[in-house]
Amino acid sequence: MTLPQATLDTPFGDGILNGTEAGQDQTLTGSTGVTTPGQTVTITLGAKPTPAPSMAAATGA
C-alpha cells in the first residue's frame, strides 16, 4: 500500500516568518494527497503537534 504524499506550499511568501507576520493569523496551504475533503492533518510547530482539519480547495470559474 502506498501512502498519499502530502505537500506544503511555501509559507509566508518567502518561507521565513518575520516579526510583522508573527503578529498576524497565518494560513498554511498545500495538499494532503487525498482527494476527499475532511481529512485531518497534523502540523508540528517546534515540538508541539497540532491536529487541523483540511478543507476542500476553492474553485473558480
Side-chain angles (χ1 to χ4, degrees), residues 28 40-53:
L28 298 176
T40 299
V41 296
T42 299
I43 310 239
T44 302
L45 301 173
K48 182 180 178 187
T50 303

Side-chain angles (χ1 to χ4, degrees), residues 12 17-27:
F12 325 119
L17 182 66
N18 65 36
T20 300
E21 293 164 337
Q24 302 169 348
D25 290 343
Q26 299 295 322
T27 300

Side-chain angles (χ1 to χ4, degrees), residues 2-61:
T2 303
L3 295 175
Q5 193 67 32
T7 60
L8 179 64
D9 298 331
T10 303
F12 325 119
D14 59 3
I16 300 170
L17 182 66
N18 65 36
T20 300
E21 293 164 337
Q24 302 169 348
D25 290 343
Q26 299 295 322
T27 300
L28 298 176
T29 60
S31 171
T32 63
V34 179
T35 58
T36 55
Q39 304 299 312
T40 299
V41 296
T42 299
I43 310 239
T44 302
L45 301 173
K48 182 180 178 187
T50 303
S54 65
M55 298 178 194
T59 58

